[in-house]
Amino acid sequence: MDPRKNPYAPGAGTKPPALVGRDRQIESFDILLERLENGYVEQSMIVTGLRGVGKTVLLDVFREKAEARDWATVEWEVEKNVTFAPRLAAQVRRALLQIAPKARWTDRLLRAAAILKSFTVTFNPDGAMTAGLDVEALAGLGDSGALSEDLTDLLVATGEAAQDQGVGVVFLIDEIQFLQPPELEALIVALHKCTRRSLPITLVGAGLPQIPRLAGEAKSYSERLFRFPRIGELDAATYARDALILPARPLGVELEPEAVDFMVDYTQGYPYFLQEYGRIVWDETSVSPVTLHDVRSVLPLVEGGLDESFFRVRADRTTDLELRYLYAMAELGPLPQRASEVAARIRRTVEQAGPIRSRLIDKGLLYTPGHGYAAFTVPQFDRFMLRRHAELGEC
Ligand SMILES: Nc1ncnc2c1ncn2[C@@H]1O[C@H](COP(=O)(O)OP(=O)(O)OP(=O)(O)O)[C@@H](O)[C@H]1O
Ligand SMILES: [Mg+2]
């Protein structure tokens, strides 16, 4: 089919042509905003899931929803080794300017800006985050040097300013597992205070599945503050099929049911894999309807494409020893594995293997679903490792 019209969208955070299977999360988000608008308390949410399941896409839908309700929205992807406080201050600055243009700032907004100035002077003395705000720091608020306290002052003041203007503020934070524990703790503490005051300000996050545990370790009450909906594979009988069929239909292209079954089966309904398979089938097939034979014959291309675009980039950042660890896990299967069993397979004690496992967690390839366990953050990574081993005979 004409590649110029290819509707499928494999990528990072790229909007899928048919966003399916996420109605529940989208509805929860709508309810959250509406309740906050009406002064009710509501648990916020942090969406969790493996790589490529659609967390970033969902955050983007949340942003659109919030904007449609005239909320101020600030999106932010946490990066490792980027200092937290200045980034946060920059986002609060953006939020204040969205709440109202500066020419129309009321006392509450000026006060929030003054606390932002205190916060910036305290945590980023050289920065220019308050550039253009033209305010003096407000002594005694946002300037104690204790991150939790100061962030609480800042977010409460921002929430009050928003309330004063009859709008809300939502922080959309992606890759939230990369926050350092004190940073996550400070955000939770600050948000808790805002919730207790029924302010229209909230934080919605997305991250890898260890987030509920990290948040619980940071503050035990975090599970009362957040829900942690987990997203993953699209249901094979319905949504995964729709993700393939719906984008092609308006362009006059049909897929035979057996072809769809085969693609859903191979991808296990993982959103990124569905998009990649769909894209390749579209480019490589010339007539509609697409048959089982068509989708089978491009399988090597799909596998090669996924290896290149999704798996190899992650495996390339590992040392030989780390690869051996990953391979040992892959041999044990796709489920979470006991650290002791993996260690035994690479002929190490648990203590010796501990640092290897920690580095792999740090690199974002593994997470710990429970004490003493490790699991892949990337779906089908076990299959990739076994494939790679068969090809190269390495590890
Ligand atoms: N509900 C959905 N239906 C169909 N395709 C989807 C859906 N959600 C996401 N996708 C597709 O899946 C791919 C991955 O989406 P996204 O980048 O949001 O995943 P992610 O969970 O944020 O991954 P990562 O953890 O690597 O950041 C994209 O190509 C996107 O178009
Ligand atoms: Mg993402």
Side-chain angles (χ1 to χ4, degrees):
M1 262 74 78
D2 184 351
R4 278 163 295 210
K5 294 196 176 138
N6 194 328
Y8 299 98
T14 41
K15 195 172 192 155
L19 182 101
V20 289
R22 303 297 185 227
D23 292 354
R24 209 150 20 108
Q25 292 79 21
I26 296 170
E27 196 191 344
S28 298
F29 183 73
D30 257 340
I31 293 173
L32 166 67
L33 295 190
E34 192 163 335
R35 284 183 58 86
L36 294 182
E37 281 169 5
N38 293 317
Y40 293 116
V41 176
E42 180 67 12
Q43 275 177 310
S44 188
M45 58 175 147
I46 297 182
V47 178
T48 75
L50 300 180
R51 292 288 174 205
V53 294
K55 301 179 295 297
T56 302
V57 160
L58 200 52
L59 275 191
D60 213 40
V61 174
F62 292 167
R63 181 187 51 76
E64 284 171 5
K65 288 259 164 199
E67 282 173 358
R69 301 180 84 103
D70 287 332
W71 279 55
T73 60
V74 272
E75 267 180 310
W76 163 28
E77 180 183 328
V78 181
E79 287 163 272
K80 270 198 224 165
N81 309 322
V82 172
T83 330
F84 170 76
R87 275 305 295 276
L88 187 98
Q91 303 305 327
V92 171
R93 178 180 181 277
R94 288 183 51 202
L96 294 178
L97 291 167
Q98 278 185 53
I99 291 170
K102 212 176 143 254
R104 290 203 279 112
W105 275 11
T106 55
D107 286 352
R108 289 258 184 224
L109 271 156
L110 288 166
R111 184 169 176 277
I115 296 175
L116 174 60
K117 177 90 180 192
S118 311
F119 185 87
T120 305
V121 170
T122 308
F123 291 99
N124 186 33
D126 318 320
M129 290 313 166
T130 47
L133 293 189
D134 236 358
V135 284
E136 289 304 313
L138 188 65
L141 283 170
D143 60 0
S144 73
L147 186 60
S148 290
E149 263 175 49
D150 295 345
L151 190 59
T152 302
D153 291 342
L154 183 58
L155 292 197
V156 166
T158 305
E160 286 172 346
Q163 192 175 43
D164 192 45
Q165 296 288 314
V167 298
V169 179
V170 56
F171 289 90
L172 300 147
I173 305 187
D174 204 358
E175 303 287 355
I176 198 164
Q177 75 282 351
F178 288 141
L179 288 177
Q180 297 297 314
E183 300 165 350
L184 184 60
E185 181 186 350
L187 270 178
I188 293 170
V189 170
L191 191 68
H192 188 215
K193 188 67 167 279
C194 294
T195 306
R196 280 170 41 211
R197 299 245 183 124
S198 299
L199 294 171
I201 180 166
T202 195
L203 178 168
V204 177
L208 291 175
Q210 67 264 38
I211 266 295
R213 185 177 51 77
L214 295 179
E217 282 166 12
K219 275 287 162 213
S220 58
Y221 58 71
S222 62
E223 65 206 44
R224 274 167 281 153
L225 205 55
F226 291 106
R227 275 175 303 121
F228 296 97
R230 175 145 183 185
I231 62 168
E233 309 91 299
L234 296 169
D235 180 69
T238 51
Y239 300 124
R241 303 180 65 83
D242 284 351
L244 292 167
I245 296 168
L246 297 182
R249 189 164 286 161
L251 300 167
V253 174
E254 296 291 331
L255 291 88
E256 286 188 348
E258 302 73 36
V260 178
D261 287 343
F262 187 86
M263 293 164 82
V264 169
D265 203 42
Y266 175 78
T267 57
Q268 299 177 310
Y270 279 107
Y272 179 81
F273 302 159
L274 287 166
Q275 298 297 332
E276 181 73 352
Y277 209 152
R279 182 184 68 84
I280 291 177
V281 166
W282 180 280
D283 281 354
E284 299 299 321
T285 312
S286 42
V287 282
S288 171
V290 174
T291 64
L292 176 61
H293 176 265
D294 293 332
V295 300
R296 263 184 207 265
S297 61
V298 299
L299 193 58
L301 277 180
V302 174
E303 205 150 77
L306 287 176
D307 283 1
E308 273 315 309
S309 64
F310 197 67
F311 295 118
R312 193 153 292 154
V313 279
R314 300 170 203 270
D316 278 354
R317 289 180 283 130
T318 49
T319 63
D320 286 349
L321 197 54
E322 288 161 6
L323 276 178
R324 275 180 62 198
Y325 194 97
L326 294 173
Y327 180 60
M329 272 190 64
E331 281 188 311
L332 291 166
L335 297 175
Q337 304 298 340
R338 290 183 82 87
S340 52
E341 271 183 55
V342 187
R345 282 192 94 87
I346 59 166
R347 295 178 209 290
R348 296 276 195 292
T349 62
V350 176
E351 290 72 30
Q352 287 167 336
I356 310 171
R357 180 166 164 264
S358 303
R359 284 199 302 274
L360 287 167
I361 291 172
D362 200 47
K363 289 181 178 176
L365 279 158
L366 299 181
Y367 73 100
T368 43
H371 187 67
Y373 280 83
F376 292 117
T377 58
V378 181
Q380 300 189 353
F381 204 76
D382 56 314
R383 283 177 22 181
F384 167 70
M385 284 306 296
L386 298 177
R387 231 169 20 236
R388 179 184 162 127
H389 185 71
E391 256 172 41
L392 305 175
E394 54 176 38
C395 302

